[in-house]
Amino acid sequence: MVQPLVSVIVVNYRGADDTITCLRALAEHDYPRLEVVCVDNASPGDDAARIRAAAPGARVIESDRNLGFAGGCNLGAKHAEGTVLAFLNNDARPGARWVEAAVATLRDDPAVGAVASKVLDWEGTGTDFVDGGLTWFGMGYKRHAGTPIADVPEGEHESAKDVLFATGSAMFVRASVFAELGGFDERFFMFYEDVDLGWRLNLRGWRVRYVPESLAYHRHHATMSEVDTPDSGRETFLLERNALCALYKNLSDETLAKALPAALALSVRRATARGELDPTQLDLERGAGPAETDPVPVPRSTLAGVLAVDQFVELLPSLAQAREEEQAARVRTDADLLPLLRNALEPAYPLPRYLAAHDILVSAFGIEQAFGKRRRVLVITGDAITERMAGPAIRAWNIAEVLSGEHEVRLVTVNPLADPPPAPFQVSAARRRDLSEPIAWADIVILQGHVLELAPALKKEYAHKIVVCDLYDPMHLELLEQGKDAPDDKRAADLAGVTKVLDAQLERGDFFLCASQRQRHFWLGHLAALGRLTPRLYDADPTTRSLLSVVPFGLSPKPPRRTGPGLRANLDGIAETDHVVLWAGGVYSWFDPLTLVRAIERLSTRRADVRLVFLGMRHPNPEVAEMDIGARTIRLADSLGLTGKHVFFNEQWVPYDERQNWLLDADCGVTTHFEHVETTFAFRTRVLDYLWSGLPIVTTDGDAFADLVRQERLGVVVPAEDTEALADALERCLYDTEFAQACRERIERVAQRYTWPVVLEPLVEFCRDPRPAADRLPGAADLAPAEPVRGRELVRRDLALVKEYLAEGGPVELARRAGGRVRKLAKRGLRRG
């Protein structure tokens, strides 16, 4: 594959030593088609000559004056020939895949206009850039900057994501897009020119994508230390002025009308607070005395802020033209970009007088309403949230994690067992009486299982709240199998109770999630039976996808990475050369591990090194009763002499964050079940771990995953309770290396479709623009009801009915129908009375 030419642009000003180090690192970089352009910004002395001599592979462009970072980059872009422009600070160096990873993203997604590199400090231990934020008054900032990378949650820096801007110290832009936007705004000189460019890219519909594999290292502000000092006020001046410029250019008219006056006032307060200037020294209320005319000393930190406002005014005529161009070209609203601002109401400076003014101005000018708050999403599960999580908790956790990129999210469990691992969102446990507060807080409530019955407020005082019901687990079908050993009357009552719980969800919800197309057909039938598929809802969306969407269980977008010992180290009796079949989930009544154990016995007679491992026998949720099938499986393995030799039982579930170590030790993944209704509509969640870890799959026929395995040729599908077929399938996946490798290659492609960010797209889209279901809109009424029947038409209709009733059943039928009509009229009269 021919790779695009990438032009790396490095700007130098009085920093030849750093620049030479940077250029030499680029000369050794592993990307095959790299052009290096170095712009010397009229440095005094012999910087340009030294750079040419030390880095002969770089093209050195000499400017006749100091154009600043923005102008220097633009000058380099004019001389660049690549279709991709890379900007790298002269005090930075590229990581091994800095270019390759960025180019891959640009090639894979034509909607990505720029790539934001992950930037660490020079030693690689501190955070420089892993995400960007923007305050309502225009100041861009690097979230987590200065924090040890080990202290930053992995979800914040190890996963690709959309951002508002990339840091100019290490970024990539399509050359054609950079030219279309006119490059960096040279009025900024330096600081926030990268924020402004990213903002404009997003407004025009381009995405800026943070790619952690595109890694660079940066000596922060090394160039500034050569030309300035912290107490000069020059950097502060540029930051203050440029924030106002970016704000003025890029906000919509409506938002700017509120934000700009408040931002100007806040700039002044920030200046006086920063310089600890007494703001009351000229106030006559302090007392009238002899007139004082001596000059008042003003700290540079204060002067910088005041002069920044002054020079912003000076730039307004040219900024007005730029603003007109940006507003005419934009295709996205301020609200569309709000998630990328991360926390628009962030005050940014921890100065008491400044913070007080910030709160005053936000309130007085309605800033919160102008920018909008991040939407509040509450995810409630009934499952235990610990290091050892079962399917419902894993699903709720990942829903919360994906949505937290755009919204303020809380994950609440009503299970008494809650000891969550670290998370980039709030996690807590609540009893029934404690749910009122988070429900009142939320804009959207996403719930699972029996949760609605524990939160009756959602049916009463909070009936207006948007509710999303996750129906991926058809509990009543599971109960048909799970409750077989219960007394008949209790079994019937339990089933009726669970069905009532599900009916209540289907009647209350605004949006529903299911796990497969099979489930979608099943739940559509249930919704129709309950009367939810009304003409009004159908007319609003004949596809009903706005009501019920397929959201399968997902898997991590990051490939599994070993972090510790796996099953071969934890279980005695399994050698490195043994061929291991892994059962990756729990053992429940609707599964058929018995046939699997018998198949292993049969296979072991011709393959002595076959091993079967059950990942976890005891459910981590103490509220889930132990099922007899687990004990029966152990007894069968014991009776056949397989336990500890060919069949191994891991009693406690492996912690969720450690499961990859066991998966990576396996050679094949298996799931077997009986043929019944539960199987038809089930979604075997832990089978996704087989996809994640690239394990060929052996599965019983009958469920949605069997269809997937068959269609995509990911392993072998066998009939239910067929010991011989199952043994043969396991043998093929374990010992036919050519077949297994082909399965793994196909699994790698299919797995991409099941990553959490991909499968949750319908929910993400709904939460971006949540609305009540069409049949739940308050005040809704029919637009064209039938005209009431009156006069002769009424008489003719009644006579026709009398003839019909006499023909059907004679006088008895007529009397019965007439009595019913009288009772109906009487009830109507009572209601009116």
Side-chain angles (χ1 to χ4, degrees):
M1 180 185 296
V2 178
Q3 294 283 32
L5 176 64
V6 176
S7 298
V8 183
I9 298 166
V10 178
V11 177
N12 175 76
Y13 182 70
R14 294 175 58 179
D17 289 340
D18 283 331
T19 301
I20 290 168
T21 300
C22 175
L23 298 180
R24 284 176 173 168
L26 286 168
E28 298 173 358
H29 197 57
D30 52 6
Y31 186 77
R33 300 193 65 208
L34 209 62
E35 175 192 45
V36 179
V37 178
C38 178
V39 175
D40 183 68
N41 249 340
S43 300
D46 60 351
D47 273 26
R50 288 179 58 202
I51 292 168
R52 279 196 180 94
R59 182 147 46 117
V60 180
I61 309 298
E62 294 187 62
S63 174
D64 57 1
R65 61 189 177 88
N66 185 2
L67 301 172
F69 181 77
C73 287
N74 288 349
L75 179 59
K78 290 175 183 176
H79 288 82
E81 297 179 0
T83 57
V84 176
L85 303 177
F87 299 98
L88 187 66
N89 270 15
N90 73 317
D91 53 353
R93 74 177 194 272
R97 297 187 62 234
W98 179 59
V99 178
E100 178 191 345
V103 168
T105 298
L106 292 171
R107 292 188 68 136
D108 290 346
D109 193 339
V112 173
V115 167
S117 297
K118 178 178 182 176
V119 185
L120 303 179
D121 65 12
W122 197 255
E123 293 75 25
T125 58
T127 306
D128 187 314
F129 184 89
V130 296
D131 194 9
L134 184 76
T135 66
W136 64 267
F137 45 90
M139 287 191 165
Y141 62 98
K142 303 174 183 180
R143 300 179 70 232
H144 306 296
T147 304
I149 192 66
D151 294 343
V152 179
E154 286 190 2
E156 291 285 290
H157 70 87
E158 286 197 353
S159 300
K161 58 191 170 186
D162 286 349
V163 292
L164 182 68
F165 61 90
T167 174
S169 61
M171 65 180 290
F172 297 78
V173 188
R174 296 178 189 271
S176 59
V177 177
F178 191 76
E180 175 69 21
L181 270 66
F184 292 115
D185 189 332
E186 296 186 16
R187 282 170 292 233
F188 285 57
F189 194 75
M190 64 189 304
F191 299 128
Y192 293 159
E193 70 291 315
D194 48 5
V195 177
D196 172 69
L197 179 69
W199 200 343
R200 290 187 287 135
L201 280 165
N202 275 287
L203 286 176
R204 297 193 188 203
W206 289 98
R207 292 167 61 201
V208 181
R209 191 74 172 162
Y210 168 76
V211 178
E213 294 80 10
S214 176
L215 178 63
Y217 303 89
H218 183 213
R219 288 194 186 103
H220 187 59
H221 279 190
T223 300
M224 279 298 295
S225 66
E226 293 290 327
V227 300
D228 199 11
T229 59
D231 56 357
S232 72
R234 290 175 176 176
E235 180 177 340
T236 301
F237 165 79
L238 289 171
L239 292 170
E240 293 283 349
R241 185 198 65 181
N242 293 350
L244 293 170
C245 291
L247 190 79
Y248 178 76
K249 284 175 58 181
N250 297 314
L251 280 182
S252 67
D253 292 345
E254 183 179 0
T255 310
L256 187 69
K258 290 188 173 184
L260 183 58
L264 289 166
L266 191 62
S267 294
V268 175
R269 173 57 70 90
R270 196 160 48 242
T272 60
R274 193 165 44 229
E276 298 182 352
L277 195 68
D278 180 2
T280 66
Q281 59 186 298
L282 303 181
D283 193 337
L284 278 174
E285 284 191 17
R286 297 183 62 181
E292 296 182 14
T293 58
D294 294 339
V296 176
V298 177
R300 281 180 171 269
S301 55
T302 295
L303 185 63
V306 175
L307 295 182
V309 174
D310 178 271
Q311 289 304 290
F312 165 69
V313 174
E314 192 72 16
L315 289 173
L316 272 176
S318 65
L319 285 171
Q321 182 179 351
R323 171 177 171 74
E324 185 177 348
E325 293 172 0
E326 295 307 323
Q327 298 307 309
R330 67 187 293 161
V331 297
R332 303 189 72 198
T333 67
D334 293 341
D336 290 335
L337 301 192
L338 186 60
L340 301 180
L341 274 57
R342 306 309 189 209
N343 182 9
L345 297 180
E346 172 65 46
Y349 286 85
L351 303 171
R353 288 189 60 253
Y354 164 76
L355 292 173
H358 178 274
D359 292 345
I360 291 169
L361 291 167
V362 165
S363 175
F365 284 87
I367 298 300
E368 192 169 357
Q369 290 72 32
F371 277 81
K373 297 181 294 186
R374 277 164 59 94
R375 194 166 282 117
R376 295 171 173 176
V377 180
L378 174 65
V379 183
I380 314 178
T381 181
D383 218 26
I385 297 180
T386 66
E387 289 185 344
R388 293 175 169 86
M389 290 188 283
I394 293 169
R395 186 169 169 93
W397 182 278
N398 282 281
I399 286 172
E401 185 168 48
V402 170
L403 292 180
S404 68
E406 298 184 12
H407 310 286
E408 190 175 349
V409 176
R410 292 186 189 177
L411 174 59
V412 172
T413 177
V414 292
N415 193 286
L417 189 57
D419 184 17
F425 46 86
Q426 182 178 329
V427 188
S428 61
R431 291 168 293 186
R432 176 172 180 162
R433 65 173 182 266
D434 300 325
L435 286 175
S436 293
E437 186 276 327
I439 289 173
W441 166 87
D443 300 312
I444 303 171
V445 179
I446 302 172
L447 51 83
Q448 296 177 329
H450 293 74
V451 167
L452 185 60
E453 301 310 302
L454 302 178
L458 286 171
K459 303 176 186 177
K460 299 173 183 176
E461 60 263 41
Y462 295 120
H464 62 285
K465 294 275 186 181
I466 302 294
V467 171
V468 178
C469 299
D470 186 6
L471 304 172
Y472 96 98
D473 182 10
M475 300 182 295
H476 49 341
L477 302 186
E478 287 185 353
L479 199 60
L480 288 170
E481 284 294 319
Q482 187 177 348
K484 276 185 173 179
D485 295 332
D488 291 347
D489 55 344
K490 184 178 187 304
R491 186 183 181 196
D494 288 345
L495 181 62
V498 170
T499 304
K500 183 178 179 181
V501 167
L502 289 169
D503 286 349
Q505 289 186 41
L506 292 166
E507 290 169 349
R508 172 63 179 87
D510 295 292
F511 188 56
F512 301 95
L513 311 179
C514 62
S516 66
Q517 284 295 338
R518 286 189 184 194
Q519 282 194 6
R520 188 169 192 273
H521 297 156
F522 174 78
W523 291 119
L524 279 174
H526 207 147
L527 286 162
L530 289 172
R532 284 300 306 270
L533 296 187
T534 62
R536 188 175 297 124
L537 191 146
Y538 178 83
D539 290 346
D541 175 19
T543 71
T544 67
R545 291 192 184 93
S546 62
L547 181 70
L548 174 62
S549 278
V550 175
V551 174
F553 211 84
L555 52 86
S556 171
K558 294 182 290 186
R561 185 179 61 188
R562 187 177 293 279
T563 58
L567 60 88
R568 295 179 191 269
N570 279 283
L571 300 174
D572 293 335
I574 301 180
E576 289 297 321
T577 56
D578 288 340
H579 291 68
V580 177
V581 181
L582 182 65
W583 177 289
V587 179
Y588 308 129
S589 301
W590 45 89
F591 288 134
D592 177 19
L594 305 176
T595 300
L596 175 60
V597 170
R598 294 187 184 101
I600 290 294
E601 180 200 25
R602 185 162 301 187
L603 181 57
S604 68
T605 61
R606 55 184 187 263
R607 300 286 187 177
D609 61 349
V610 67
R611 303 290 184 266
L612 168 63
V613 174
F614 287 89
L615 189 68
M617 299 298 290
R618 181 172 296 177
H619 198 285
N621 185 350
E623 295 185 348
V624 175
E626 293 295 321
M627 302 183 194
D628 180 58
I629 190 67
R632 289 170 60 196
T633 303
I634 294 172
R635 286 198 301 270
L636 177 61
D638 290 346
S639 69
L640 296 174
L642 299 176
T643 305
K645 297 177 181 177
H646 294 283
V647 179
F648 298 81
F649 299 97
N650 184 56
E651 185 165 336
Q652 295 294 336
W653 280 31
V654 174
Y656 184 61
D657 289 337
E658 297 175 18
R659 73 195 190 286
Q660 71 277 3
N661 300 320
W662 291 59
L663 289 159
L664 292 172
D665 270 359
D667 301 293
C668 169
V670 65
T671 178
T672 51
H673 40 253
F674 297 107
E675 187 176 1
H676 43 51
V677 172
E678 189 277 338
T679 291
T680 303
F681 296 104
F683 194 88
R684 307 301 183 200
T685 57
R686 285 301 180 96
V687 175
L688 281 166
D689 278 343
Y690 302 151
L691 296 182
W692 183 49
S693 52
L695 293 178
I697 301 168
V698 175
T699 180
T700 308
D701 205 354
D703 68 353
F705 256 120
D707 292 344
L708 180 70
V709 171
R710 181 185 295 108
Q711 292 164 7
E712 300 289 349
R713 295 178 298 148
L714 309 179
V716 183
V717 178
V718 298
E721 301 184 74
D722 189 329
T723 303
E724 189 63 43
L726 182 55
D728 291 345
L730 292 170
E731 185 172 27
R732 188 178 188 193
C733 287
L734 288 172
Y735 295 96
D736 186 337
T737 56
E738 185 176 343
F739 175 77
Q741 181 57 33
C743 289
R744 290 188 183 95
E745 291 172 0
R746 290 187 286 267
I747 285 170
E748 185 176 3
R749 293 193 295 271
V750 172
Q752 298 305 310
R753 306 202 308 253
Y754 284 89
T755 61
W756 282 113
V758 172
V759 300
L760 285 170
E761 282 179 1
L763 178 61
V764 170
E765 288 299 320
F766 177 81
C767 290
R768 285 172 179 162
D769 186 23
R771 300 173 187 270
D775 62 331
R776 284 189 13 89
L777 290 167
D782 293 330
L783 292 177
E787 290 290 332
V789 181
R790 295 190 179 92
R792 292 181 179 178
E793 286 296 320
L794 179 60
V795 173
R796 278 196 287 268
R797 187 200 68 181
D798 286 347
L799 287 173
L801 287 172
V802 168
K803 291 179 181 178
E804 180 183 337
Y805 298 153
L806 287 171
E808 287 181 359
V812 175
E813 178 67 13
L814 177 63
R816 187 180 72 81
R817 296 286 188 130
R821 178 82 178 273
V822 169
R823 286 191 294 273
K824 185 182 295 184
L825 291 172
K827 287 181 180 178
R828 189 179 302 169
L830 287 172
R831 284 197 296 268
R832 288 174 180 171

